[in-house]
């Protein structure tokens, strides 16, 4: 399906990003992601499968006085995904596209729900001055791309980028919700040490404001604001933010409550949250993990939540709520500060677990 997004804010992913080991002696059972993911040369979305969509932007982090570098997140995640083993249905290349010249007629092939496509990147002008697009336009372009992917029949998976990605992600899902005969209740589950409900300052929205923006959007459209946070740090949020969270009846658990020993209580908390909604948008901020384990992030956590706990949360959502889990993104991977690509590998594993 041909997209109506602002092309000046979008670029295709070079097929050369998807490279890795090839175990030819194992046949198709030895395939890895780089042998199955197919790049789209233009935003003509497929009718089935999942579309990886990058958000190459760190302007929100810059405005939020964080460590810049998150614009490199989508490429780093792709490179880390490329060499992971493929654990789903094998799709014959000949049925999909000629990867050498990147030609594709999306929607004309017999596609599989297991297919994963690379839908390129939405790019903010601050990362590419030639595009002449600002953060607000980049967020709207991301939203339009997400809505277009849903309209075509596929599902998006967004790779950030700073956490300013979340307003664009939510907006894309909300636009799709408005196309439904009966309006679904959307809930946002944010795995993050920060509430990200700061009021936008004089320089505009940032990576610290996306859910304030969502709350304002919901109020303007007379929608309920269903927002929950897992991993909140007492030492990463001011009293003003806790007061606003209480005023808005935001549900949350502290990072100290998210351990393997307390996992049953966390999963019960999730069950209660998801019971109140029809569609779930999951966003994972890489800042939530301990800096000792995941150093390549915008705002490193002194303690944080162990990746195992987040993997359990993902497994629980996929096992029990796959029919509600409509959209997910990963934010704040900062390859500039990574060590041995370990943070990118953690992000890639989270994405792989969400999709396979």
């Amino acid at each position: 399906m041909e997209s109506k997004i602002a092309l000046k804010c979008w670029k295709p992913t070079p097929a050369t990003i998807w490279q890795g080991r090839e175990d030819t002696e194992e046949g198709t059972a030895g395939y890895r992601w780089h042998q199955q993911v197919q790049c789209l040369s233009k935003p003509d979305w497929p009718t089935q499968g999942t579309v990886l969509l990058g958000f190459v932007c760190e302007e929100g982090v810059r405005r939020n006085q964080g460590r810049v570098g998150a614009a490199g997140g989508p490429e780093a995640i792709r490179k880390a995904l490329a060499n992971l083993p493929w654990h789903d249905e094998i799709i014959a290349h000949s049925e999909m596209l000629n990867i050498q010249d990147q030609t594709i007629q999306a929607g004309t092939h017999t596609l599989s729900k297991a297919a994963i496509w690379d839908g390129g990147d939405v790019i903010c002008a601050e990362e590419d001055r030639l595009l002449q697009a600002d953060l607000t336009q980049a967020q709207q372009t991301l939203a339009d791309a997400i809505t277009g992917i849903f309209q075509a029949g596929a599902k998006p998976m967004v790779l950030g980028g700073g956490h300013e990605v979340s307003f664009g992600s939510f907006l894309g899902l909300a636009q799709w919700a408005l196309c439904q005969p009966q309006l679904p209740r959307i809930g946002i589950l944010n795995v993050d040490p920060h509430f990200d409900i700061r009021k936008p300052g004089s320089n505009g929205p940032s990576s610290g404001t996306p859910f304030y923006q969502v709350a304002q959007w919901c109020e303007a459209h007379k929608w309920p604001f269903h927002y929950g946070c897992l991993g909140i740090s007492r030492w990463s949020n001011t009293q003003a933010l806790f007061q606003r969270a209480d005023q808005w009846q935001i549900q949350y658990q502290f990072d100290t409550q998210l351990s393997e020993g307390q996992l049953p209580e966390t999963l019960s908390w999730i069950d209660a949250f998801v019971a109140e909604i029809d569609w779930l948008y999951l966003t994972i901020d890489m800042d939530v993990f301990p800096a000792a384990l995941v150093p390549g992030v915008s705002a490193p956590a002194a303690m944080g939540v162990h990746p195992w706990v987040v993997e359990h949360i993902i497994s629980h959502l996929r096992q029990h709520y796959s029919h509600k889990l409509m959209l997910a993104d990963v934010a704040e991977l900062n390859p500039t500060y990574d060590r041995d690509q370990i943070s990118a590998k953690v992000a890639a594993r989270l994405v792989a677990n969400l999709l396979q």
Side-chain angles (χ1 to χ4, degrees):
M1 177 177 177
E2 185 176 357
S3 175
K4 297 180 181 179
I5 66 171
L7 289 177
K8 67 180 181 180
C9 299
W10 180 87
K11 285 186 176 180
T13 301
T16 52
I17 291 289
W18 293 95
Q19 297 184 31
R21 175 177 174 144
E22 295 188 13
D23 298 319
T24 54
E25 66 278 4
E26 302 289 354
T28 58
Y31 273 11
R32 298 172 185 272
W33 275 55
H34 71 91
Q35 294 167 292
Q36 288 289 279
V37 174
Q38 309 298 325
C39 294
L40 299 173
S41 59
K42 53 184 178 178
D44 289 351
W45 311 124
T47 58
Q48 285 197 68
T50 299
V51 178
L52 301 177
L53 191 62
F55 187 66
V56 178
C57 183
E58 61 191 27
E59 175 59 18
V61 178
R62 184 179 292 111
R63 295 178 186 180
N64 201 31
Q65 304 175 48
R67 305 195 299 185
V68 295
E75 180 176 335
I77 295 173
R78 287 180 173 106
K79 288 181 175 179
L81 278 168
N83 217 34
L84 292 183
W86 182 263
H87 286 299
D88 213 325
E89 175 189 348
I90 300 297
I91 303 155
H93 283 192
S94 59
E95 295 177 3
M96 299 177 71
L97 80 161
N98 182 339
I99 202 168
Q100 296 302 318
D101 59 11
Q102 293 188 346
T103 58
I104 185 169
Q105 295 295 324
T108 63
H109 300 274
T110 302
L111 302 179
S112 164
K113 290 182 180 180
I116 296 181
W117 308 81
D118 190 328
D121 290 321
V122 173
I123 303 178
C124 185
E126 285 78 6
E127 275 53 77
D128 190 335
R129 295 291 177 181
L130 296 177
L131 295 177
Q132 299 295 307
D134 60 16
L135 173 55
T136 300
Q137 186 172 13
Q139 288 173 320
Q140 185 62 60
T141 301
L142 175 65
D144 292 342
I146 288 170
T147 305
I149 291 167
F150 279 124
Q151 288 174 331
K155 268 193 168 184
M157 171 76 219
V158 183
L159 313 177
H163 218 166
E164 59 267 30
V165 67
S166 281
F167 183 61
S169 289
F170 168 81
L171 190 56
L173 186 60
Q175 290 175 169
W176 178 231
L178 290 169
C179 298
Q180 308 308 305
Q182 183 172 348
L183 191 67
R185 298 167 297 171
I186 297 177
I188 305 166
L189 183 58
N190 181 23
V191 183
D192 193 339
H194 312 101
F195 284 117
D196 286 345
I197 52 173
R198 289 193 177 101
K199 293 181 179 179
S202 58
N203 58 354
S206 73
S207 62
T209 68
F211 303 110
Y212 185 96
Q213 294 171 264
V214 170
Q216 297 302 297
W217 191 97
C218 289
E219 182 179 3
H221 290 79
K222 296 181 171 51
W223 282 23
F225 179 51
H226 292 290
Y227 177 46
C229 299
L230 290 172
I232 288 295
S233 170
R234 182 185 178 199
W235 304 110
S236 297
N237 298 272
T238 63
Q239 290 187 52
L241 296 177
F242 277 107
Q243 290 168 5
R244 185 167 299 131
D246 292 340
Q247 177 186 348
W248 289 352
Q249 298 182 316
I250 295 172
Q251 303 173 53
Y252 59 90
Q253 282 200 325
F254 287 106
D255 51 1
T256 53
Q257 296 174 276
L258 267 68
S259 67
E260 290 195 79
Q262 296 172 292
L263 193 60
E265 290 83 356
T266 297
L267 298 183
S268 295
W269 183 98
I270 291 172
D271 291 340
F273 179 82
V274 177
E276 299 176 356
I277 62 173
D278 303 306
W279 286 3
L280 177 64
Y281 158 40
L282 173 68
T283 178
I284 302 173
D285 189 319
M286 298 294 291
D287 293 348
V288 78
F289 301 117
L293 297 177
V294 182
V297 300
S298 299
M303 298 184 71
V305 178
H306 199 284
W308 285 119
V309 174
V310 179
E311 282 209 339
H312 279 299
I313 290 170
I314 289 173
S315 296
H316 184 75
L317 291 174
R318 287 203 66 198
Q319 181 178 354
H320 299 285
Y321 303 110
S322 59
H323 61 295
K324 291 189 176 185
L325 183 55
M326 295 292 291
L327 176 65
D329 61 39
V330 175
E332 303 286 2
L333 174 67
N334 187 332
T336 303
Y337 297 94
D338 208 356
R339 183 183 66 248
D340 298 326
Q341 296 82 50
I342 189 64
S343 308
K345 290 176 181 178
V346 171
R349 181 161 165 161
L350 296 175
V351 172
N353 276 317
L354 279 163
L355 301 183
Q356 293 189 344

